[in-house]
Amino acid sequence: MKYDFSSIEKKWQDKWEEAGIFHASDDHTKKKFYGLVEFPYPSGAGMHVGHIKAYSGLEIVSRKRRMQGYNVLFPIGFDAYGLPTENYAIKTNTHPRIVTDRNIAKFTQQLKRVGFSFDWTRVIDTTEEGYYKWTQWIFRKMFDAGLVFRATTLVNYCPSCKVVLSNEDSQGGKCDICHSDIVQKSKDVWYLRITEYADKLLNGLEEVDYLPNVKLQQENWIGRSEGAFVNFKIKDTDDTLRIYTTRCDTMFGATFMVIAPEHPIIEKYADRISNLDALNNYKAECAKKTEFERTQLVKDKTGVKIEGLCAVNPVNGKEIPIFISDYVMMGYGTGAIMAVPAHDERDYDFAKKFGIDIIEVIQGGDISKEAYTGDGEMINSGFLNGIKTKKEAIAKMLEFLSAQGVGEKGVQYKMKDWAFNRQRYWGEPIPIIHCPTCGMVGVPYEELPLRLPDMEQFEPGEGGESPLAKIDSFVNCTCPKCGGAAKRETDTMPQWAGSSWYFLRYCDPHNDKEFASKEALQYWMPVDWYNGGMEHVTRHMIYSRFWHRFLYDIGEVPCEEPYAKRTAQGLILGPDGEKMSKSKGNVVDPNDVVDEYGADVLRVYTLFMGEYGSAAPWSESSVRGCKRFLDRVAALTDMISGEGVTPKLESAFHKTVKKVSMDIEDMKFNTAIAAMMSLINEIYDVGSLTRDELGIFVRILCPFAPHICEEIWETLGNEGFASLAAWPEWDEEKTVDATVTYAVQVNGKLRNTLDLPKDIDKETALAAAKADAKIKQFIDGKTVVKEIFVPGKIINVVVK
RNA sequence: GCGGGUAUGGCGGAAUUGGUAGACGCGCUAGAUUCAGGUUCUAGUGAGGAUUCCUUCAUGAAGGUUCAAGUCCUUUUACCCGCACCA
């Protein structure tokens, strides 16, 4: 067969589309498979080969599942709200709607050329009214449930994007989008109370099948810690200073306290404090720094002692000084700590610098040199003296604290509430109305979607105000509760909103009564297998798990967890081994590869290049190797002789079918392809194969290289599509050879190999080995001290 | 600093989980075909030494356990990713 890939690929893509063979069926009686890939952000640059690899993994699994008779939902869509589009729109003076539509068209064209088996009737665009109506609807439900609140805080503000960013979006003190420096700014911010779901999000991990490191990252992100809240009396007041600690066992060693510079206690007792100016100066210094900068100065601790206030250690009545320092942050715990320099490195550094007492309460270290954080016997600790373990000491102390009424067990999370608004145009409008009499009122459900108004000038306003604030007709409205004049919220939602529930919409994407019907959700959810990038396993996955668990709690979805299984693909690096980026000029465009080698080659190569989960550099010459492989596959049509089984190939076929079948389940696509390459080498050695054997070969290769396989399938005279043909079975017995090659070792060194019957027993095998002329050389005249026989693998004779 | 990971030929990478290290592909060498060739086919290809079937050394480095270690243990180096004073 002549392998004219460009005409073959066009031909079959048209046929698939015409027959609609990849559309998920509404027949809910069939067994289902829901494979989900992260939908792309349709940027102006178009897709690069990394996208192709990201989708190829579950593309293979989905195609295999179809051939195994599953009803498969393998959808795609576009996460199209976002800053890059808006910035591009501003720069080129084109409406973001037009930019978005253009980019989606480009992405769609690229994806279709690769022959992905997506269900194109279920495409989602998060910026369409029919979609964001339900994004707003879920937000409103959260508002009703009290999960939405507003607070004035210091926020990370990007002066270049003119937008407030979450901590997650401003990591490293740089804007996630434009990489300019972040400044701190006081602002009214919308929050989603995700912390209320911290425990549920943590516990839910027990019932899902995520990669171990994905689970670990989510656990670390949530950051649950168990400890105690303790109230330290402030001397000569009725007030207490409340702290959080995970080491209440060390309380006898607390020699000072540290509070965050912003701690309200300073203002409250301003009249007693004699060095208020010094404190305020220090606070002003800290405010200039971003949170990131504050965390930079690891060793050299700074701080100021509060003159005029002092605290009382509740376990021994000792009076201890209070300091302010930026190593304690208002955002975690209570914004105040007890400092135990002997057993905490940060406190140790601070105490050394300020000449504060260091009292050892746990034996085992040398506190003259450094803090000791390990276990040991308690000393200088009153009723804890003599206790040998941390665990025991903590339990005893907690008992004491609660008996005295000065403290109790507590839990803290690193995870913070989710700052959920942007002062930008290209996002979902937040459906809230501010009424002077009623306060914050949700836009009535029947008025959703709250449409994003069309406008010409969508630059952000000065001071980071949303462009929507400029449209009077949008802002001015009546309060749905009291009917009085009111104003609309003008902020929009962050990009994370649309992607927090898209997997639900795929189940029933055209529904205009509900975000998805109960029947569709009941059938399709949860997602059976979700694959995507490691960069999304914390933020996106935790946000979307949060939304989903909320919907479960209000009875809108049938299962607690949205994703039954999660895997991740590795990056494709540029030919230079660097991360692909436009600025480095090392981006490979899938269209170029398809033009030159064909879609099937692109698909095979992205999966063959290395382990699916790890990064690997692009290599043009290796692409050619994959082309050569498919050329050899095409030529098999000229090697057919007869029907049935070629004896010399029978075992090889069963082995390969087994290996490919199993490797796909483990995402070991590279070795699956290698196995098919080996098989084709064997076929070439034999020189011919039967019509039936070629049919098997084509079916196991079909998920990887579907176009060429369809063409050969047709050449073989089959009716219907290879893509829907039954996945081949293997016979376990025929994967085992009659004879096995044993490695024969003397003293653990390989000396010869012997072909022996597969079910040979130990005695016979050893006799055969010892009778072998080569082995004889090594054992003659020596005494055999040990004989090892591993069935099917190795014979080892140990001699002296 | 803490947590996780990786390290195997000239290159990308295999290795049934403790059992013949280097599958498969690239690249390279030689030959045939073509001789317009980023064509196709055949053979070879970890390094060193003897060259006819022989042998020694090799999985970042150094030790150890074992009949047997890329795989397990200890120490160590380099790189990558995540988190960042979390009390």
Side-chain angles (χ1 to χ4, degrees), chain A residues 140 431 433 442-448 480:
Chain A
R140 268 259 15 212
I433 288 163
V443 171
Y445 287 98
E446 59 273 17
E447 285 177 26
L448 298 179

Side-chain angles (χ1 to χ4, degrees), chain A residues 55-130:
Chain A
Y55 307 145
S56 290
L58 285 188
E59 158 78 355
I60 303 300
V61 176
S62 296
R63 279 183 172 269
K64 184 187 169 203
R65 289 285 183 277
R66 277 189 209 96
M67 295 172 75
Q68 290 174 313
Y70 285 80
N71 182 18
V72 172
L73 174 56
F74 185 49
I76 191 72
F78 300 96
D79 188 15
Y81 272 135
L83 276 178
T85 300
E86 182 171 330
N87 288 341
Y88 179 83
I90 291 168
K91 212 164 71 186
T92 60
N93 203 24
T94 322
H95 196 280
R97 176 76 266 157
I98 295 168
V99 177
T100 300
D101 288 343
R102 198 190 292 153
N103 291 348
I104 287 179
K106 176 160 189 194
F107 271 61
T108 302
Q109 178 270 345
Q110 284 178 306
L111 287 169
K112 287 193 170 174
R113 280 199 76 189
V114 183
F116 283 116
S117 64
F118 292 125
D119 182 346
W120 288 101
T121 65
R122 293 184 185 236
V123 174
I124 281 172
D125 169 358
T126 56
T127 65
E128 273 179 4
E129 281 178 24

